[in-house]
């Protein structure tokens, strides 16, 4: 044992180990492992018992106890009965004589080992475990502490239902509990009481451990052993006594909470709760809530559950509600204390939500309670002031706190909504009080103002739109109060943002009450909005102003000059800012450009006079165009890099022009007020010079494409002569992302101008097809890119837009473009790509697009007479390749899923394709297709039915028949035909 003892000391964190080298420690660990794993179980037990008895070192004792524990778990069947008896007597002797001064880790390990023996041997092998362990009266600290630790270990490792147990563990737990209830639970309960009485002053730490053990057992013992006239008053006295140390008081509260939560019949529970209430005067007082938070919450939860089960018409149910309401002041005090260590805010919130859900028409008393619940919601939704600075600048700590609060507020907001529905008047009155308080004090905190505004905002989500319009309830007072509000902490980001959001939430009220429009504009245009010192707030205000203009439109015409004058500096700042060196990061939806959209929307209102529109638009566009020309001139002389201030400046100006154009439409610009069209056309010419000068600056090119999209929308057909100039530059140095953006523009042009885009496409198609054939080659998809990489996603997006491009050509009278001499060079490859994709592409939506494209090409290029076909050989290609590969073999493949919605849509297009081929190709198609059906082992009668159904006019009937035909062929083949 001496060598082993030395090895244990070297392998542990003892002083001897600190002086040893790593090599020596490693050798010691290996020695200990061999002793543990290679020694026969019975010999190992004797060795460890000897070490426990003879060694003075705690580390050796711990190793011996842990080794015995592992041996019993893994090799118990190899231990002789006599050795187990020796082990039992030795461990019980150690436990009974345990000294409270010995290290806690040793006492815990010994308790864990005794609990394991109890599990294996009680009561069938040794029935006296607990009778041996229960300390004699009066309880002494050492044995009492040890006995409590055994009960705690037994609960943790076996008895508690808070942890998942396997069937064997559940069976062992039931056996131990049954035996204890029959033999010794009353004696154990008496011991707990004696320990609490005699040790609360002498050794409160041990008394607390004893009561913690009691708490764990209350759920499965006879509750009357604790819930009686002797024990309950003692627990209340300990819990509330100023002389009780915190752990002891908490243990007493835990016992009382376990009593309240004891599972039983609802009527018996009402009687139990009544006894707890009568046992302590002032149980429902706020003071009780502060000192016994866990108890009052558990009590309230149980009383609410009894009321739900029994109902208000039942005497016990009514009594439960009465007791519930009596304890509510204590619950509110606990919830408002903000003590996370004592109060489980989740449980409190769950109870309050349940309580509110029982209300239909709240009484005066319940309305007062709802007011207190609203105060709880307000407090728990409030930020901690310690994060105030972080939330203002929104650094990493501030962002984390904001995200955490957003998650924490979800359940609180749900509770707030429930209260709003039950008592809308009381909720509005509560919010009015918060706003008045926030406005009346110069010392009001950021946190209080933020939560007051947040609750007002959330109220706007719940009340109906009609109520907002009409200013129902207190809204007619609250919204004007909000519009004129200037909080002392308005400079803080949190307050400013939620203030603007709340204003926007109630904008329908302003829409119905024109007199408040000036107040609204003042909010957006002064230091509370666009001129706020925080850039995030300023940008958000610009976005919200844009939305307000969309809604209010003509109501804002009288204020046009005021708005433009107020925005002048912000407009200049956006295009003058050195964005390359700007640290502030904005979301793409709120980057500050929305003020240009707002101005564009305002100028574009039809109620603005034509002369005024021209005047305002000239003042807006000319400076921006001059800036572009100046930057282009400088860049030509000095060069232009993607990340240079000039390149970014050009991007910002083009973004601004794009946003301005969103306020105008083709009917206005090209119809009723063509002077505006001339102005935008000149602006387009200026922007195209940027593209011509710097076609390789990708971010700049992307912004120009966005501007072109807008010009297509508002300039209409007059924009077409400018497009070829742009396309020639946009086809320079293209990658997948660039081609995808270009195709998106082309698809827009095709959809808008249809056959009028014929000449444009004839000119651009060859170059586009050439680029696409390289970028979308099979090698690009199999060149090592993982499917989740950005490169692959860009390729997939390009592929999707390319198929859409071909479909748009086929459906907008532009298919003749493909037949021109310069385009025919690419036609065969395009047809093969469409065929392969329609038959076997993994993206079903792409297959559907390609089938639709083929159907439209058949209609465009083929007539009932083959000699009139526009493309020789296309008819044969469709009959022999497409009809066989796509319409038959692809749907026979077992991978085609008739239960998938997208696949069913594809199947509908395939059915339609057969009808169109029959109409245009006649007998040639049907003879060939029926022959292919027979090759696929289709029964002759079904092939004949196919011919008949195809000739019918009911497409739904044919679709249903063809699906059943496919399924029957699949069954006959048993899935053997797999299309490749």
């Amino acid at each position: 044992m001496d060598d082993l003892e030395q090895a244990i000391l070297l392998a542990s964190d003892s002083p001897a180990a600190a002086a040893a080298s790593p090599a020596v420690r490693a050798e010691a660990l290996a020695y200990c492992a061999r002793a543990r794993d290679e020694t026969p179980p019975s010999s190992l037990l004797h060795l460890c018992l000897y070490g426990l008895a003879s060694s003075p070192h705690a580390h050796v004792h711990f190793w011996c106890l842990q080794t015995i524990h592992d041996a019993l778990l893994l090799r118990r069947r190899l231990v002789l009965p006599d050795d187990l008896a020796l082990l039992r007597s030795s461990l019980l002797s150690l436990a009974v004589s345990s000294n409270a001064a010995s290290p806690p880790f040793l006492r815990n390990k010994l308790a864990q080992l005794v609990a394991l023996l109890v599990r294996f041997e009680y009561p069938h092998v040794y029935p006296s475990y607990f009778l041996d362990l229960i300390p004699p009266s009066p309880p002494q600290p050492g044995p009492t502490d040890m006995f409590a630790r055994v009960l705690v270990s037994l609960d943790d490792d076996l008895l508690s239902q808070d942890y998942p147990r396997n069937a064997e563990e559940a069976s062992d737990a039931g056996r131990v509990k049954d035996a204890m209830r029959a033999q010794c639970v009353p004696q154990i309960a008496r011991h707990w009481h004696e320990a609490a009485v005699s040790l609360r002053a002498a050794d409160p730490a041990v008394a607390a451990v004893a009561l913690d053990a009691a708490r764990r057992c209350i759920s499965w013992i006879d509750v009357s052993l604790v819930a009686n006239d002797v024990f309950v008053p003692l627990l209340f006295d300990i819990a509330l006594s100023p002389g009780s140390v915190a752990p002891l008081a908490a243990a007493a509260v835990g016992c009382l909470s376990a009593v309240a939560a004891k599972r039983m019949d609802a009527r018996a529970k009402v009687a139990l709760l009544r006894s707890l209430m009568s046992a302590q005067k002032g149980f429902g007082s706020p003071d009780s809530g502060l000192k016994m938070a866990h108890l009052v919450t558990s009590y309230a939860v149980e009383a609410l559950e009894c009321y739900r089960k029994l109902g208000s018409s039942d005497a016990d149910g009514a009594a439960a509600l009465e007791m519930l309401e009596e304890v509510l002041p204590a619950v509110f005090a606990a919830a408002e204390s903000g003590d996370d260590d004592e109060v489980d805010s989740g449980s409190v919130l769950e109870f309050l939500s349940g309580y509110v859900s029982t209300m239909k028409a709240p009484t005066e008393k319940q309305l007062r309670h709802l007011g207190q619940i609203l105060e709880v919601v307000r407090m728990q939704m409030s930020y901690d002031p310690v994060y105030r600075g972080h939330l203002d600048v929104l650094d990493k700590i501030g962002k984390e706190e904001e995200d955490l609060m957003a998650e924490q507020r979800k359940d609180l907001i749900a509770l707030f909504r429930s209260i709003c529905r039950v008592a809308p008047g009381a909720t509005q009155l509560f919010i009015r009080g918060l706003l008045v308080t926030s406005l009346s004090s110069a010392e009001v905190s950021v946190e209080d103002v933020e939560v007051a505004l947040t609750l007002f905002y959330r109220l706007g989500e719940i009340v109906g739109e009609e109520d907002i319009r009409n200013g129902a309830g207190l809204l007619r007072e609250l919204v004007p109060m909000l519009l004129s509000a200037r909080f002392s902490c308005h400079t803080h980001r949190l307050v400013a943002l939620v203030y603007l959001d709340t204003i926007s939430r109630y904008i329908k009220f302003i829409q119905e009450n024109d007199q408040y429009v000036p107040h609204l504009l003042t909010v957006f245009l002064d230091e509370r909005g666009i001129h706020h010192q925080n850039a995030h707030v300023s940008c958000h205000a610009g976005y919200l102003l844009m939305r307000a203009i969309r809604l209010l439109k003509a109501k804002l015409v009288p204020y046009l000059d005021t708005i433009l004058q107020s925005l002048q500096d912000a407009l200049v700042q956006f295009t003058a800012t050195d964005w390359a060196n700007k640290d502030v990061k904005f979301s793409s939806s709120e980057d500050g450009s929305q003020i240009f959209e707002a101005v564009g929307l305002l100028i574009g209102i039809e109620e603005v006079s034509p002369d005024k529109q021209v005047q305002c638009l000239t003042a807006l566009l000319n400076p921006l165009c001059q800036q572009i020309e100046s930057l282009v001139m400088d860049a030509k002389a000095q060069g232009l890099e993607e990340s240079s201030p000039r390149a970014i400046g050009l991007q910002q100006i083009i973004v601004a022009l794009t946003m301005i154009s969103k306020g105008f439409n083709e009917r206005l610009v090209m119809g009723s007020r063509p002077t505006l069209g001339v102005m935008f056309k000149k602006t387009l010419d200026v922007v195209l010079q940027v593209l011509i000068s710097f076609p390789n600056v990708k971010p700049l090119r992307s912004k120009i494409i966005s501007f072109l999209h807008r010009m297509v929308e508002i300039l209409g057909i007059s924009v077409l002569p400018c497009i070829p100039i742009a396309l020639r530059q946009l086809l320079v140095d293209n990658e997948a992302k660039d081609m995808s953006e270009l195709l998106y523009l082309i698809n827009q042009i095709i959809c808008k101008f249809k056959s009028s885009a014929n000449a444009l496409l004839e000119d651009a198609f060859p170059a586009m097809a050439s680029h696409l054939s390289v970028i979308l080659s099979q090698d690009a998809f199999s060149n090592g890119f993982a499917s989740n990489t950005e490169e692959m996603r860009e390729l997939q997006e390009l592929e999707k837009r390319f198929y859409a491009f071909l479909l748009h050509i086929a459906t907008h009278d532009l298919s003749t473009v493909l037949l021109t001499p310069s385009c025919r060079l690419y036609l065969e490859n395009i047809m093969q790509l469409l065929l392969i994709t329609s038959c076997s592409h993994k993206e079903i939506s792409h297959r559907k697009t390609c089938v639709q494209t083929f159907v439209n090409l058949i209609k465009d290029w083929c007539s009932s007479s083959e000699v009139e076909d526009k493309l020789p050989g296309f008819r044969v290609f469709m009959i022999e390749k497409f009809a066989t590969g796509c319409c038959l073999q692809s749907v026979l493949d077992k991978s085609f899923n008739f239960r998938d919605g997208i696949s069913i849509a594809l199947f509908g297009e395939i059915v339609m394709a057969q009808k169109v081929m029959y109409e245009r190709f006649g007998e040639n198609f049907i003879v060939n297709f029926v022959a292919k059906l027979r090759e696929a082992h289709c029964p002759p009668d079904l092939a004949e039915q196919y011919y008949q159904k195809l000739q019918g006019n009911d497409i739904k009937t044919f679709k249903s028949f063809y699906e059943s035909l496919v399924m029957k062929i699949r069954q006959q083949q048993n899935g053997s035909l797999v299309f490749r």
Side-chain angles (χ1 to χ4, degrees), residues 459-534:
L459 176 67
E461 291 180 329
I462 300 158
V463 298
E465 187 174 300
E466 197 61 30
D467 286 343
I468 292 179
R469 288 181 185 277
N470 298 330
L474 292 177
L475 293 181
R476 185 163 291 278
E477 175 189 356
L478 293 176
V479 177
M481 183 190 300
L482 185 69
L483 285 168
S484 60
R486 290 180 182 272
F487 300 102
S488 59
C489 53
H490 221 127
T491 55
H492 196 281
R493 186 189 67 88
L494 276 182
V495 171
L497 286 175
V498 72
Y499 175 75
L500 292 169
D501 285 334
T502 308
I503 292 285
S504 296
R505 171 63 66 188
Y506 292 95
I507 200 167
K508 294 289 178 68
F509 173 83
I510 300 163
Q511 187 180 21
E512 293 297 312
N513 297 271
D514 297 3
Q515 68 270 31
Y516 294 111
V517 169
H519 299 79
L520 175 73
L521 292 175
T522 302
V523 167
F524 281 127
L525 298 174
D526 68 14
E527 69 280 357
R528 291 171 292 176
I530 286 171
H531 290 95
H532 194 279
Q533 64 187 31
N534 184 294

Side-chain angles (χ1 to χ4, degrees), residues 766-809:
M768 290 173 61
S770 176
H771 280 77
L772 287 164
S773 64
V774 174
I775 298 173
L776 289 178
S777 66
Q778 196 60 38
D779 290 342
F781 285 92
S782 58
N783 212 18
F785 292 134
S787 61
N788 63 342
T789 64
E790 187 62 29
E791 293 90 342
M792 180 57 75
R793 281 193 291 271
E794 289 172 358
L795 279 171
Q796 290 168 344
E797 183 62 25
L798 174 60
E799 185 182 43
K800 175 183 175 181
R801 287 184 178 173
F802 175 57
Y803 292 133
F805 167 64
L806 294 176
L807 177 60
H808 290 320
I809 287 176

